[in-house]
C-alpha cells in the first residue's frame, strides 16, 4: 500500500476548517493563523478567503489534482502521452495499474478535498451578513467548482459517494456510492445555479457565466452516452453551446497559436483556466506540465537544464495523426531546435526520442527558467471545444446538418488561415459525410484541436473507443472494458466497507 494514500475522511476533514491560501492573481493575502470555523466566517472578507480556498484546492504545490496527478492518470492511460522518464507512472501507460495506484489515490483524495472546500463556502458563506449580490456570486462560483470536481469524478469512477454538505466528522463520510444518475443530478443543479447567477465577466482565474454553460453542455454530451442518459441530452448540449456562442465575452480567436500557451493566458477564447503559475506561498503554486513536457536535450527556453523535460511526451502514433501541413501541429509540438552546442536537431535525435507537446504549456516569450514564470495554465474549457461539442450534438440529433458543418468547418477554417499570413489549403472544409463518418470526423478534429488539453481519455471513454484504440497501438497491453473506469482506491474500500469496488478491479 502506498504511504501517501488517504481516505475521504482524511481528505475532507483536513480542509474542514479555514482556508489558508488564496489565488494571487485575484487576491494577494498572507495566510491566516488558525481560527475555529464557528468564529471565523463572519465578514465578506472571510467569505472571499473561503472562496479562494476552494479555487486553491483544484491543485497545489505542482503536485495535486489539476497541478499534475489528474493529467498523469488521463494522459498516460490513453493514446495521447507516455512517461519516458517516470518509472512510477509506467503502469498507467501500460494498463498494468492496480487499485492501490498512488496517482489514482491522489486524484481521488484531492478531488474530495476540493469538493469539501466548495461545500464549506456553500454552508458558511450563505449565513454571513454581507451584500446579497456579492454573496450570490460567491455561492455560484462554489457551485461551479463543486460541479467541476464531481464531473471529473463521475467520469473517472462512475458511482460516487455523494458528499453535498460540509464534512465536520468522520461519520459523515462513511457512506455508500450513489448511482451516476444522482451524481449527474447534483452536477446539473450546481451548474444551472452557476449559469443563472455568475456574471458574464469575472476576474482572471474565476468562474463566469460562459464557463458554467459550456461545462453544463459537456455534462449533457457525456451523460448522453452513459447509463444515466435521457432523450434530450444532446439537444440540451446543442442549445447550451449556442448560448455560449452568442456571448460577446467569448470568441474564437483568429489565430490558433494565440488561443494556447503561457504568453496568451485568459484570452477571449478561454472559458476557464486553472492558474498554474500563481504564487500563493513561498513554495509557489505552479503547473509542471510545461517543464515536464519540454524536449530533453533540445534547448528551447533560456536557462533550460539538461534534465528538463522528457516526463510527458507524445505517443508517436498520436503525433502522426496531425498532417504535416496542419498549422496546429507546429503550434503544439517542438519537432526541432538547438542542442547544447547550438546545432539544430530533430525530436528523433533526442535522448528521449518522442515529440514534445510543450508549446501548449510554456510561455514562449519567457526569459527565465523559473517554473512559475514560464509555465502556462491548464485550460479546462475554451471556445473551440464549444464549437465541436455543438457539431457532435447536432449530428447525433439529426445527422450532419448545415449548422453541424458550420461548427466543425469554422475550426478547420481557422487552422487553414494559420496566423493570417501564408494560409494553407489544409485542412479543407468537410462536406457530404454520413452520420457515422461525421461522428468520426468530429472525434478526429478534437485530436487536432484539443490535443494535450485534458480531453482525450474522456472522449475515448464516452465514445466507447478506448480499448480498440489502445489495442491498435499496443496489442499486448492488457486493456479491457474495466479500464473505462478507474479503480476505487484500495485503502478507501478498506476504511469504508460501504464502498463497493468497480467491476473486475
Amino acid at each position: 500500500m502506498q504511504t501517501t494514500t488517504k481516505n475521504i475522511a482524511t481528505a475532507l476533514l483536513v480542509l474542514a476548517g479555514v482556508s489558508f491560501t488564496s489565488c494571487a492573481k485575484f487576491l494577494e493575502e498572507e495566510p491566516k493563523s488558525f481560527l475555529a470555523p464557528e468564529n471565523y466566517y463572519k465578514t465578506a472578507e472571510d467569505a472571499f478567503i473561503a472562496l479562494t480556498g476552494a479555487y486553491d484546492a483544484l491543485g497545489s504545490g505542482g503536485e495535486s489534482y489539476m497541478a499534475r496527478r489528474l493529467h498523469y492518470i488521463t494522459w498516460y492511460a490513453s493514446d495521447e502521452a507516455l512517461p519516458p522518464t517516470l518509472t512510477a507512472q509506467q503502469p498507467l501507460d501500460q494498463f498494468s495499474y492496480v487499485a492501490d495506484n498512488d496517482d489514482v489515490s491522489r486524484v481521488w483524495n484531492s478531488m474530495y478535498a476540493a469538493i469539501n472546500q466548495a461545500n464549506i463556502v456553500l454552508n458558511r458563506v450563505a449565513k454571513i451578513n454581507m451584500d446579497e449580490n456579492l454573496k450570490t456570486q460567491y455561492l455560484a462560483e462554489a457551485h461551479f467548482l463543486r460541479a467541476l470536481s464531481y464531473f471529473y469524478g463521475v467520469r473517472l469512477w462512475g458511482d460516487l459517494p455523494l458528499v453535498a454538505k460540509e464534512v465536520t466528522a468522520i461519520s459523515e463520510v462513511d457512506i455508500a456510492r450513489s448511482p451516476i444518475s444522482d451524481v449527474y443530478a447534483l452536477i446539473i443543479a450546481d451548474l444551472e445555479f452557476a449559469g443563472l447567477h455568475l456574471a458574464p465577466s469575472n476576474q482572471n482565474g474565476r468562474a463566469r457565466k460562459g464557463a458554467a454553460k459550456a461545462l453544463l453542455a459537456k455534462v449533457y454530451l457525456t451523460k448522453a452516452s452513459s447509463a444515466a442518459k435521457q432523450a434530450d441530452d444532446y439537444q440540451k448540449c446543442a442549445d447550451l453551446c449556442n448560448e455560449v456562442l452568442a456571448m460577446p465575452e467569448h470568441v474564437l480567436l483568429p489565430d490558433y497559436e494565440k488561443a494556447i500557451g503561457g504568453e496568451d493566458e485568459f484570452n477571449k477564447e478561454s472559458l476557464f483556466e486553472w492558474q498554474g503559475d500563481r504564487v500563493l506561498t513561498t513554495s509557489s503554486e505552479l503547473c509542471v506540465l510545461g517543464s515536464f513536457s519540454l524536449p530533453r536535450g533540445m534547448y528551447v527556453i533560456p536557462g533550460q537544464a539538461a534534465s528538463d523535460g522528457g516526463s510527458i511526451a507524445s505517443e508517436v502514433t498520436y503525433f502522426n495523426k496531425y498532417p504535416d501541413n496542419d498549422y496546429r501541429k507546429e503550434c503544439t509540438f517542438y519537432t526541432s531546435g538547438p542542442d547544447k552546442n547550438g546545432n539544430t536537431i530533430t525530436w528523433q535525435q533526442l535522448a528521449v526520442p518522442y515529440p514534445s507537446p510543450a508549446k501548449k504549456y510554456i510561455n514562449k516569450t519567457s526569459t527565465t527558467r523559473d517554473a512559475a514564470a514560464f509555465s502556462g495554465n491548464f485550460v479546462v474549457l475554451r471556445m473551440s471545444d464549444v464549437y465541436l461539442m455543438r457539431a457532435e450534438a447536432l449530428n447525433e440529433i439529426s445527422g450532419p446538418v448545415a449548422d453541424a458543418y458550420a461548427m466543425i468547418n469554422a475550426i478547420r477554417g481557422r487552422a487553414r488561415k494559420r496566423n493570417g499570413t501564408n494560409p494553407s489549403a489544409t485542412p479543407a472544409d468537410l462536406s457530404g459525410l454520413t452520420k457515422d463518418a461525421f461522428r468520426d470526423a468530429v472525434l478526429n478534429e478534437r485530436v487536432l484541436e484539443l490535443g494535450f488539453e485534458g480531453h482525450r481519455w474522456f472522449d475515448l471513454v464516452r465514445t466507447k473507443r478506448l480499448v480498440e484504440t489502445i489495442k491498435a497501438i499496443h496489442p499486448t497491453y492488457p486493456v479491457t472494458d474495466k479500464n473505462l473506469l478507474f479503480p476505487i482506491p484500495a485503502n478507501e474500500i478498506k476504511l469504508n466497507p460501504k464502498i463497493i469496488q468497480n467491476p473486475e478491479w
Side-chain angles (χ1 to χ4, degrees):
M1 184 67 63
Q2 299 285 347
T3 58
T4 55
T5 302
K6 302 177 183 177
N7 63 328
I8 290 179
T10 303
L12 297 183
L13 288 173
V14 76
L15 290 174
V18 183
S19 164
F20 295 114
T21 56
S22 58
C23 296
K25 290 225 175 146
F26 59 87
L27 177 66
E28 294 182 358
E29 290 270 352
E30 292 298 320
K32 300 284 185 177
S33 58
F34 179 78
L35 294 172
E38 62 271 18
N39 298 324
Y40 185 73
Y41 298 95
K42 299 293 185 183
T43 69
E45 180 187 8
D46 299 337
F48 193 43
I49 293 173
L51 177 63
T52 58
Y55 281 100
D56 182 41
L58 295 180
S60 62
E63 269 287 339
S64 66
Y65 207 8
M66 295 184 191
R68 182 185 306 194
R69 303 294 167 174
L70 174 65
H71 313 296
Y72 277 3
I73 70 172
T74 57
W75 289 13
Y76 298 145
S78 77
D79 65 332
E80 192 171 31
L82 72 164
T85 63
L86 299 178
T87 302
Q89 281 66 46
Q90 296 295 327
L92 291 168
D93 180 63
Q94 298 168 7
F95 290 87
S96 60
Y97 57 91
V98 293
D100 66 350
N101 180 271
D102 184 46
D103 292 311
V104 174
S105 297
R106 284 173 183 252
V107 175
W108 172 276
N109 292 324
S110 58
M111 179 191 74
Y112 272 104
I115 287 167
N116 200 52
Q117 279 296 123
N119 284 339
I120 288 171
V121 176
L122 295 173
N123 179 43
R124 303 284 178 154
V125 173
K127 302 171 185 177
I128 294 176
N129 182 17
M130 57 180 289
D131 179 87
E132 288 299 319
N133 290 331
L134 189 60
K135 179 192 294 187
T136 301
Q137 167 75 19
Y138 291 174
L139 294 175
E141 291 181 63
H143 278 292
F144 173 86
L145 294 172
R146 184 171 70 178
L148 179 61
S149 283
Y150 268 124
F151 186 42
Y152 276 120
V154 76
R155 291 180 292 168
L156 293 168
W157 289 286
D159 299 347
L160 291 171
L162 204 54
V163 184
K165 64 178 183 178
E166 177 186 353
V167 171
T168 58
I170 291 178
S171 60
E172 295 173 1
V173 292
D174 188 20
I175 56 178
R177 299 167 71 182
S178 294
I180 63 170
S181 57
D182 291 350
V183 182
Y184 272 116
L186 179 63
I187 293 168
I188 290 168
D190 276 346
L191 291 175
E192 287 178 340
F193 184 94
L196 181 63
H197 296 290
L198 284 172
S201 299
N202 205 344
Q203 289 172 292
N204 286 345
R206 294 172 63 184
R208 59 191 74 183
K209 187 180 293 291
K213 289 182 178 292
L215 184 59
L216 185 53
K218 187 176 284 287
V219 168
Y220 280 121
L221 183 66
T222 305
K223 179 171 168 284
S225 58
S226 76
K229 65 183 177 183
Q230 293 179 293
D232 59 352
D233 284 339
Y234 284 121
Q235 188 62 58
K236 288 181 176 179
C237 171
D239 292 345
L240 283 160
C241 289
N242 214 31
E243 290 181 35
V244 179
L245 293 172
M247 296 182 67
E249 292 82 8
H250 305 290
V251 299
L252 193 70
L253 295 180
D255 183 355
Y256 178 81
E257 187 176 29
K258 299 299 182 183
I260 57 173
E263 67 271 28
D264 294 299
E265 294 173 349
F266 305 115
N267 58 69
K268 292 194 72 173
E269 183 164 331
S270 172
L271 290 159
F272 184 70
E273 302 181 17
W274 174 73
Q275 294 185 54
D277 61 351
R278 67 194 189 279
V279 178
L280 301 177
T281 66
T282 55
S283 61
S284 297
E285 299 290 5
L286 56 91
C287 176
V288 300
L289 301 180
S291 58
F292 277 32
S293 62
L294 285 169
R296 181 173 292 197
M298 185 185 295
Y299 294 81
V300 297
I301 62 168
Q304 182 176 333
S307 60
D308 283 341
S311 299
I312 298 172
S314 174
E315 290 268 14
V316 175
T317 50
Y318 193 88
F319 171 78
N320 287 338
K321 290 178 182 290
Y322 290 72
D324 286 339
N325 52 356
D326 192 311
Y327 180 56
R328 293 168 292 189
K329 188 172 192 175
E330 66 185 73
C331 293
T332 300
F333 300 100
Y334 280 106
T335 57
S336 64
D339 65 10
K340 63 181 180 180
N341 298 316
N343 299 315
T344 298
I345 58 173
T346 66
W347 66 264
Q348 293 94 334
Q349 297 171 279
L350 296 172
V352 180
Y354 296 97
S356 158
K359 286 187 178 180
K360 286 201 169 180
Y361 288 101
I362 67 170
N363 183 334
K364 294 179 285 294
T365 65
S366 178
T367 59
T368 173
R369 167 60 184 83
D370 179 77
F374 88 84
S375 294
N377 292 342
F378 168 55
V379 179
V380 178
L381 286 166
R382 60 184 178 91
M383 285 295 287
S384 59
D385 194 1
V386 175
Y387 277 75
L388 293 175
M389 286 194 292
R390 180 166 168 81
E392 182 176 344
L394 290 173
N395 183 61
E396 295 301 330
I397 296 165
S398 305
V401 295
D403 197 17
Y405 278 115
M407 294 292 102
I408 193 170
N409 285 336
I411 300 301
R412 294 170 70 84
R414 175 174 68 171
R416 193 165 58 244
K417 293 175 184 176
R418 300 176 64 84
N419 61 359
T421 62
N422 194 26
S424 170
T426 302
D429 282 351
L430 299 177
S431 63
L433 301 178
T434 65
K435 184 175 184 176
D436 288 346
F438 190 90
R439 182 186 296 121
D440 292 343
V442 171
L443 186 61
N444 186 64
E445 201 66 30
R446 294 182 65 83
V447 168
L448 306 177
E449 180 71 20
L450 301 169
F452 302 94
E453 295 183 35
H455 302 286
R456 180 60 170 172
W457 185 87
F458 299 106
D459 285 344
L460 289 175
V461 168
R462 68 179 176 80
T463 59
K464 310 298 189 294
R465 301 190 188 197
L466 177 68
V467 176
E468 65 181 71
T469 299
I470 298 301
K471 283 294 188 183
I473 304 167
H474 303 292
T476 62
Y477 283 8
V479 57
T480 67
D481 282 348
K482 81 171 187 177
N483 299 106
L484 299 178
L485 294 173
F486 283 97
I488 305 297
N491 201 44
E492 191 65 46
I493 293 175
K494 178 181 178 181
L495 294 168
N496 182 0
K498 293 182 181 180
I499 293 183
I500 305 300
Q501 182 60 278
N502 277 328
E504 300 183 51
W505 287 105

